[in-house]
Amino acid sequence: MRRNKTALLTRTALAAILLGGSFSIAQAKSPAPADLKKHGTTASDKYEPSLDVMQDQKLKQPGSEPGVPTLTKAEFEKANKIFFQRCAGCHGVLRKGATGKALTTDITRERGLQSLEDFITFGSPAGMPNWGTSGDLSKADINLMARYLMNEPPVPPEFGMAEVRKSWKVIIPVDKRPKKKLNKIDIDNIFSVTLRDSGEIALIDGKSKKILQIIKTGYAVHITRISSSGRYLFVIGRDAKIVMIDLWMKVPGPVAEIKIGAEARSVETSKYKGYEDKYAIAGAYWPPQFVIMDGKTLEPIKIVSTRGMTYDTQEYHPEPRVASILASHYKPEFLVTVKETGHVLMVDYSDIKNLKITDLEAERFLHDGGLDSTGRYFLVAANARNKVAVIDTKKDKLVALIDTKGTKPHPGRGANIIHPKYGPVWITSHLGDDVISLIGTDPKNHKKYAWKVVQTLEGQGGGALFVKSHPKSKHLYVDTTLNPDAELASSVAVFKIKDLTQKEPKYKVLPIGDWSGITEGVRRVVQGEYNKKGDEVWFSVWNGKSQESAIVVVDDKTLKLKHVIKDKRLITPTGKFNVYNTRKDIY
């Protein structure tokens, strides 16, 4: 079922031009129209590059250099906006590279203007969108971006305590908040649904499937995390704005907000016994830092920079972004993953003033991950290195570094199941191919399988963002959200756990996009999420901002359509976070 690979190989020569291969411009042939149609990537097709928030930053233009194309002020401002909107998420603010390749001037100037234009136009087999042939950028824009990349990158302003505190706002003081829950909502079965392009979340009741509230949060909403008690929602957008929502209010709404940088992805709260709801933490892409805050007011307490040396080559990196953050259940610690340098920081919050950090060397380009079924081990993908690092949160040590057997693992939080042969396993899918990797996670009762890829499954194709299961489920769900084939992007593959002992386990395809009743757009299906009871799985049908979207609810036992949630307010729904499952780390 590797349907999406061959269509991309015709551009290998073009990719090699920029990435250091031996092809020349004369050897690089334009892909056939059929291949371009199959590739079909546009800005809205890609989860990470689009909707970057640095596009509106006022940056100082670097000075021109001899032999380097010059840009007028107007050209610089336009190119800057395009780069930060569409490119920085993968290539980095300073163009040092992460999911995407580095685009520093020593590389871009050597390649030259024509090869840069070709690369931007046609994309690459590794997942670079074809900005030109897709129609997203004009020839003039592509020429502008090629010239822009040959100039030194502008450096955005820093964001210290003064700037963070200036953004902090307590909307409702703690002593003015309810002393008990004032509504009849089953809080544990609420879904916080990311409305990505409208800068909002929808709170949806898991039983009635009705929208309880639409709450304005921040630009390009990314994730929701829940306080240990389940009372507070913490929503962070890519603009690094955090909004804290009190679910005890008669009408749930914001009680505090803060902005911890210019761009961010992660937020979490303290969960260790005795520290429930005491602290919150958020990590920024720019500036590269994390901020520890009061868990009830978001008052900033401490800012810690993540700039430093890469773990392997010991080379200084000026932009090591905070990827994911997780709260330990075994110690008063936050696990902070640092993308570009490959470090996992075990941040002890028992004494914020005299902060202790245990620095673990893992692997570079860390991204998303989650806990195993016991809550002790943290498995996090280093997607550009095709690895998964395993951290023992009880002993604060790296216990394994695993080759996932696939290209660019992207697990989200991953999925935990009990395999009929290998016992407890944690699962990741991949962006780059159809491989689904199952990793043994039980060093006590299944020692010979622990921290190994014990099985790989063949899914529908690459472009998978999330896998999903539940302790009460007999199924494993795998989306293919970013696959260029519209049929694959609008469906999910479902494996029966009991069938995983077969030589080549088969999957059932659920046509989620068709079930939604929506006929326009690509209808990308993303991020399954279970209800509290574990008998329903909710999928987002993610269309463009001006198109209809929906949420499709599947009966986990029968794998049949149960309900479709449609509302004109459901604009670009992506992530869904069930309060109970999120705060209990059930996935």
Side-chain angles (χ1 to χ4, degrees), residues 468-533:
K468 180 59 64 173
S469 191
H470 188 277
K472 296 180 181 179
S473 176
K474 297 179 180 180
H475 298 112
L476 168 68
Y477 298 80
V478 186
D479 66 29
T480 38
T481 312
L482 299 186
N483 195 286
D485 186 310
E487 182 180 346
L488 301 188
S490 64
S491 61
V492 296
V494 188
F495 293 86
K496 290 184 177 180
I497 295 173
K498 70 176 184 178
D499 292 342
L500 295 182
T501 55
Q502 296 177 359
K503 186 176 181 180
E504 294 184 1
K506 304 298 181 184
Y507 56 79
K508 181 176 183 178
V509 176
L510 302 187
I512 303 295
D514 290 342
W515 285 353
S516 73
I518 298 171
T519 57
E520 63 178 342
V522 178
R523 307 177 305 178
R524 296 188 177 278
V525 174
V526 64
Q527 197 184 38
E529 177 77 337
Y530 279 84
N531 62 347
K532 178 186 176 182
K533 192 175 179 181

Side-chain angles (χ1 to χ4, degrees), residues 228 268-273 275 325-336 346-347 349 371 375-378 391-396 585:
S228 182
E268 181 60 288
T269 68
S270 54
K271 293 182 178 178
Y272 187 67
K273 187 176 181 180
Y275 293 89
I325 303 177
L326 185 140
S328 172
H329 295 271
Y330 282 82
K331 293 182 179 181
E333 289 182 338
F334 293 119
L335 286 74
V336 177
M346 314 294 284
V347 181
Y349 54 74
L371 294 169
R376 173 171 175 174
Y377 298 97
F378 176 50
I391 306 295
D392 184 342
T393 66
K394 186 176 181 179
K395 294 185 177 181
D396 282 6
D585 288 308

Side-chain angles (χ1 to χ4, degrees), residues 174-475:
V174 175
D175 61 358
K176 301 295 183 182
R177 297 175 196 171
K179 307 302 181 190
K180 62 180 181 179
K181 190 162 78 78
L182 299 182
N183 57 61
K184 296 182 179 180
I185 301 169
D186 180 1
I187 288 177
D188 268 349
N189 204 28
I190 287 177
F191 287 76
S192 174
V193 180
T194 296
L195 305 181
R196 188 170 180 261
D197 294 10
S198 66
E200 300 169 318
I201 63 162
L203 298 182
I204 302 181
D205 178 64
K207 183 178 180 179
S208 69
K209 315 295 190 293
K210 301 294 185 182
I211 295 177
L212 302 171
Q213 195 78 3
I214 299 288
I215 299 174
K216 198 74 179 175
T217 52
Y219 178 81
V221 182
H222 196 62
I223 64 169
T224 295
R225 289 293 181 261
I226 320 296
S227 68
S228 182
S229 67
R231 175 175 181 172
Y232 295 110
L233 293 183
F234 295 80
V235 180
I236 191 166
R238 295 192 174 197
D239 58 356
K241 180 181 178 181
I242 303 168
V243 175
M244 182 180 178
I245 297 163
D246 187 353
L247 297 178
W248 280 17
M249 293 166 61
K250 186 175 183 180
V251 178
V255 293
E257 63 181 46
I258 197 171
K259 188 171 166 61
I260 58 96
E263 184 174 3
R265 296 292 189 276
S266 53
V267 67
E268 181 60 288
T269 68
S270 54
K271 293 182 178 178
Y272 187 67
K273 187 176 181 180
Y275 293 89
E276 298 93 337
D277 295 19
K278 186 173 180 62
Y279 296 115
I281 183 174
Y285 265 28
W286 188 269
Q289 62 191 30
F290 61 86
V291 181
I292 299 175
M293 298 156 283
D294 183 276
K296 294 182 180 179
T297 66
L298 294 182
E299 180 179 7
I301 301 171
K302 182 168 290 250
I303 301 176
V304 180
S305 173
T306 55
R307 289 184 172 100
M309 315 305 283
T310 59
Y311 90 94
D312 48 2
T313 61
Q314 298 291 292
E315 174 188 1
Y316 177 74
H317 199 296
E319 189 196 351
R321 299 174 288 180
V322 175
S324 52
I325 303 177
L326 185 140
S328 172
H329 295 271
Y330 282 82
K331 293 182 179 181
E333 289 182 338
F334 293 119
L335 286 74
V336 177
T337 63
V338 187
K339 186 185 289 279
E340 282 76 11
T341 54
H343 294 269
V344 178
L345 308 179
M346 314 294 284
V347 181
D348 184 341
Y349 54 74
S350 63
D351 184 352
I352 300 295
K353 185 174 180 59
N354 302 292
L355 197 67
K356 295 179 181 178
I357 298 177
T358 301
D359 189 336
L360 306 183
E361 295 182 351
E363 184 55 282
R364 293 186 66 183
F365 311 114
L366 297 169
H367 196 62
D368 278 347
L371 294 169
D372 78 309
S373 57
T374 70
R376 173 171 175 174
Y377 298 97
F378 176 50
L379 295 93
V380 58
N383 53 21
R385 295 277 176 91
N386 304 325
K387 306 282 187 183
V388 163
V390 183
I391 306 295
D392 184 342
T393 66
K394 186 176 181 179
K395 294 185 177 181
D396 282 6
K397 63 181 292 186
L398 176 74
V399 296
L401 193 60
I402 306 164
D403 186 325
T404 64
K405 313 298 183 185
T407 303
K408 291 189 178 178
H410 193 288
R413 289 169 288 177
N416 289 298
I417 66 168
I418 304 298
H419 193 284
K421 178 178 179 180
Y422 303 113
V425 300
W426 179 89
I427 304 167
T428 183
S429 55
H430 293 78
L431 280 168
D433 56 31
D434 59 11
V435 173
I436 302 156
S437 298
L438 283 64
I439 297 171
T441 60
D442 184 6
K444 183 177 180 180
N445 299 311
H446 297 81
K447 188 175 181 179
K448 66 179 180 178
Y449 302 131
W451 317 133
K452 300 174 183 176
V453 175
V454 295
Q455 184 176 11
T456 59
L457 308 175
E458 185 177 302
Q460 291 198 88
L465 288 179
F466 302 103
V467 290
K468 180 59 64 173
S469 191
H470 188 277
K472 296 180 181 179
S473 176
K474 297 179 180 180
H475 298 112

